[in-house]
Amino acid sequence: MNPLATPSLPELWDRLFGTQPDPDLWVVLATLVAALAAVLPHAVWRVSRNAVTIAHEGGHGLVALLTGRTLTGIRLHSDTSGLTVSRGKPHGLGMILTAAAGYTAPPLLGLGGAALLAAGHITALLWLATALLLVMLVMIRNAYGVLTVLVTGGLFLAVSWLTGAQVQAAFAYAVVWFLLLGGVRPAFELQAKRRRGNAGDSDADQLSRLTNVPPALWLFLFHAVSLCSLIGGTRWLLDL
């Protein structure tokens, strides 16, 4: 089907809920290399980390809503930091889950994406990501954040709507690899900051104040989630 043609309702249904063929192994490996190139070099990571920040703050926001808190706004900054503000009880399970969702969101999203790709739902993954970005856009409260989410969402929409199956597959695999790999690095960066004494108000420290559990144990949780997600996602993506 011509991707530029207007699809009928049955065609839209089939594209969303149907399955697409797996890409060749070389495509999967090439997207892995591309994701590594976006995560490992520091100069590139300073830019690409913005995408991880979107997932990080989106995780805070989503869990805040799911636990009954009132989400008042999300800010994304050019230094790749972010801030999610919600109203509700300043303690309790809802606040704990909200605080814990940031560092765990990118790798878990990558793991979920790997499961969808393993099942052949490439287009569904792209459309779901677009929908989540559009919902998040409503809650963004600063110009840089709006620009970042618009550009990211527009890229997903363009690829899912205007390109063929092979391009969609390559893009989807690259995104999932990036979330899995990019979800590992922030926990190590946080560990280094805490070692230098520069992260007194980090998610791990906030969780420690909420639970009386040492920050190091929360940091261990972030490492465990990201590394286990990477292992599980890799098995799905490489069909091991």
Side-chain angles (χ1 to χ4, degrees):
M1 184 180 69
N2 180 2
L4 297 178
T6 302
S8 64
L9 186 59
E11 289 172 336
L12 280 173
W13 184 269
D14 182 65
R15 287 173 64 178
L16 181 57
F17 294 103
T19 59
Q20 294 77 42
D22 294 334
D24 295 333
L25 179 60
W26 74 266
V27 174
V28 178
L29 295 177
T31 55
L32 168 59
V33 172
L36 285 169
V39 171
L40 293 181
H42 181 69
V44 179
W45 176 243
R46 289 177 61 186
V47 177
S48 64
R49 198 184 193 280
N50 282 283
V52 175
T53 302
I54 292 175
H56 179 114
E57 300 303 330
H60 282 311
L62 178 61
V63 174
L65 291 174
L66 291 176
T67 55
R69 299 180 63 80
T70 300
L71 182 61
T72 58
I74 299 173
R75 291 178 175 270
L76 305 173
H77 304 132
S78 58
D79 63 355
T80 73
S81 66
L83 176 66
T84 298
V85 180
S86 62
R87 292 200 308 266
K89 291 194 303 182
H91 51 78
L93 183 60
M95 187 62 196
I96 294 170
L97 292 175
T98 298
Y103 279 93
T104 57
L108 289 177
L109 285 172
L111 183 63
L116 284 174
L117 293 181
H121 295 294
I122 296 171
T123 303
L125 182 148
L126 297 176
W127 287 15
L128 178 60
T130 304
L132 290 173
L133 287 166
L134 289 176
V135 171
M136 184 177 179
L137 181 62
V138 177
M139 300 308 303
I140 298 295
R141 296 293 182 263
N142 66 322
Y144 182 81
V146 169
L147 176 62
T148 302
V149 175
L150 273 178
V151 170
T152 306
L155 180 60
F156 273 90
L157 183 61
V159 170
S160 62
W161 195 260
L162 301 177
T163 66
Q166 292 300 315
V167 175
Q168 289 186 19
F171 180 76
Y173 271 79
V175 167
V176 171
W177 278 124
F178 175 76
L179 286 172
L180 290 170
L181 294 165
V184 172
R185 183 164 179 173
F188 284 98
E189 291 177 335
L190 175 58
Q191 184 175 356
K193 285 183 179 180
R194 295 198 74 259
R195 191 179 299 118
R196 296 192 298 268
N198 296 331
D201 200 36
S202 70
D203 290 358
D205 291 276
Q206 292 182 40
L207 284 163
S208 178
R209 290 191 288 270
L210 287 167
T211 62
N212 293 319
V213 174
L217 289 182
W218 286 107
L219 188 58
F220 175 80
L221 173 68
F222 299 158
H223 281 305
V225 170
S226 62
L227 291 172
C228 288
S229 296
L230 176 59
I231 294 170
T234 298
R235 289 178 62 86
W236 272 328
L237 294 178
L238 296 180
D239 194 23
L240 299 178

